[in-house]
Amino acid sequence: MLNRRILRVKAFKILYSYVSSGSTSIMSAEKDLLLSCEKCRDLYLLMLNLARALRNAEGDSIAARRNKFLPTEEDINPNMKFFGNLFVETLDNNMDFVKICEKKGLLWKEHDIFVRRLLKSVSSKEYFMKYMESPERSMADDCGVFIRIYENELEDNDELQQILEDASLYWVDDLGYVLGYVIKTLKGLRKGETFSVPPLFQSDSESAKSSEGIEDDKAYVLKLLDYAMANYDRLFKMIASSTANWDSDRLVSTDAALIILGLSEAAVFPQIPVKVTINEYVEISKYYSTSNSRIFVNGLLDRLIQKGLEDGSIVKSGKGLL
């Protein structure tokens, strides 16, 4: 499930947190990193399970309308299309998914007010009304309405953000990635793919296992973090000495952590192209550092990697790696 981009982000956050706190325990850092990865998949499962919660809230609403003192014809014979959504039925029938959600408490029972409010909001949207009015009953159609829900209703939802922040500090920045993966899951089902709980790391997927040259992502991110922590002081001094016009105390600590991770990746993984490494950490700097960091990280990381290639401390061999 987790790709290299988000693994780099998680390694950066752990490195930055540990350096900022003065901790040098690599073992504890590794434990926190793997927990952060696991929590990301938990959030994915929780957000998938929101579909079941919305369906259940729709069922409660249908029952309440039928039990009104003076129900209308529509109350007695409601539109059952959303309640019978085939995507939600797929989740219901996947025992691995249901059991892991129950075991880990990835449920929405404590947030039924949020779920009902979300359902009310979704029900008022034009795309939802068109879905309910359409006579089509298919997996593609049923996945389609949930794609719209996950695309439009959740990432900027302040109430949801507060729920997630209260539930886990690890979930603060993972929602965007998780929603993207939920939508990817829905699009796969819409094309006829089957659903299964994904492995934690992308390299553990069946498609990755069948491809030659795919490295183990867990080993990659642990090795990256270990090297960066063990060599942090040395690499920081290298950065400081390369910025003669800057007092080392003025170096933005997030920039330093990103450059150190980039240098670590370049040194430890000879098969990863230099351009890929630089581009990845420049992209991360856009979200987690200052407005000027992109230029600073790009220029200094490029210069220090080139210096390492010249003095032999960084070795790349093979076409397209330099």
Side-chain angles (χ1 to χ4, degrees):
M1 174 178 172
L2 303 185
N3 62 26
R4 289 288 175 92
R5 168 69 61 80
I6 197 167
L7 291 178
R8 288 180 175 101
V9 169
K10 290 188 174 296
F12 156 70
K13 288 182 178 180
I14 295 294
L15 178 65
Y16 176 73
S17 173
Y18 269 66
V19 170
S20 298
S21 67
S23 174
T24 58
S25 173
I26 294 178
M27 186 176 296
S28 294
E30 287 184 347
K31 183 178 178 181
D32 280 348
L33 175 61
L34 294 178
L35 178 59
S36 176
C37 292
E38 186 67 38
K39 286 290 186 180
C40 187
R41 185 173 61 171
D42 287 351
L43 180 58
Y44 163 76
L45 297 173
L46 176 68
M47 295 312 300
L48 269 183
N49 214 18
L50 180 58
R52 296 174 72 219
L54 286 169
R55 185 277 314 278
N56 291 342
E58 172 75 348
D60 292 341
S61 177
I62 289 170
R65 294 197 302 271
R66 280 176 171 168
N67 291 325
K68 285 166 57 176
F69 181 66
L70 293 173
T72 65
E73 178 62 29
E74 185 179 354
D75 292 332
I76 296 171
N77 297 295
N79 186 336
M80 301 293 287
K81 185 174 182 180
F82 186 67
F83 184 72
N85 186 280
L86 295 175
F87 162 61
V88 180
E89 186 177 307
T90 297
L91 296 180
D92 284 338
N93 292 334
N94 190 293
M95 289 299 102
D96 287 340
F97 172 76
V98 173
K99 287 179 181 178
I100 195 171
C101 286
E102 291 177 351
K103 180 179 180 180
K104 292 193 167 210
L106 303 174
L107 310 170
W108 292 92
K109 293 178 182 177
E110 295 181 5
H111 307 291
D112 58 320
I113 294 175
F114 164 74
V115 174
R116 291 200 303 270
R117 190 177 291 138
L118 178 61
L119 178 63
K120 183 177 180 181
S121 174
V122 167
S123 299
S124 69
K125 300 298 173 64
E126 184 178 356
Y127 70 82
F128 187 85
M129 290 187 282
K130 286 183 177 179
Y131 162 78
M132 294 295 284
E133 292 167 1
S134 171
E136 180 180 355
R137 297 301 303 273
S138 67
M139 177 64 82
D141 190 42
D142 285 357
C143 285
V145 72
F146 270 105
I147 288 173
R148 296 294 294 274
I149 291 171
Y150 284 108
E151 283 180 338
N152 300 313
E153 313 297 339
L154 299 170
E155 188 162 12
D156 297 320
N157 188 305
D158 293 337
E159 188 176 2
L160 175 61
Q161 288 283 357
Q162 191 60 56
I163 289 171
L164 298 183
E165 287 179 18
D166 291 344
S168 175
L169 291 175
Y170 290 99
W171 288 347
V172 173
D173 293 326
D174 283 352
L175 182 59
Y177 180 81
V178 162
L179 290 176
Y181 205 90
V182 170
I183 292 167
K184 178 183 177 182
T185 299
L186 281 158
K187 289 181 177 179
L189 286 168
R190 188 167 62 178
K191 293 188 296 185
E193 296 176 5
T194 57
F195 171 75
S196 61
V197 176
L200 181 54
F201 297 101
Q202 201 170 79
S203 61
D204 292 333
S205 66
E206 290 302 318
S207 59
K209 287 179 179 178
S210 63
S211 302
E212 294 184 5
I214 298 295
E215 291 182 279
D216 181 87
D217 286 333
K218 179 180 178 181
Y220 158 80
V221 73
L222 289 175
K223 193 173 182 180
L224 174 64
L225 180 64
D226 289 355
Y227 187 92
M229 289 193 67
N231 293 275
Y232 187 90
D233 291 340
R234 176 179 65 82
L235 294 174
F236 185 87
K237 289 177 182 177
M238 185 188 302
I239 294 171
S241 65
S242 299
T243 52
N245 297 327
W246 288 73
D247 184 329
S248 61
D249 291 337
R250 292 178 60 202
L251 283 173
V252 178
S253 52
T254 51
D255 290 352
L258 287 168
I259 293 169
I260 285 168
L261 276 174
L263 291 172
S264 299
E265 182 172 300
V268 178
F269 300 100
Q271 74 283 6
I272 298 179
V274 169
K275 288 183 179 179
V276 170
T277 295
I278 294 175
N279 288 341
E280 284 294 311
Y281 291 101
V282 168
E283 283 299 310
I284 295 171
S285 74
K286 294 177 182 178
Y287 297 95
Y288 294 98
S289 200
T290 68
S291 58
N292 295 323
S293 292
R294 176 179 62 83
I295 297 172
F296 180 71
V297 171
N298 182 73
L300 190 53
L301 187 53
D302 184 38
R303 192 192 330 159
L304 292 175
I305 289 177
Q306 293 305 320
K307 183 179 178 181
L309 290 168
E310 292 169 4
D311 65 25
S313 59
I314 294 175
V315 177
K316 299 287 183 180
S317 59
K319 185 178 180 181
L321 295 179
L322 300 180

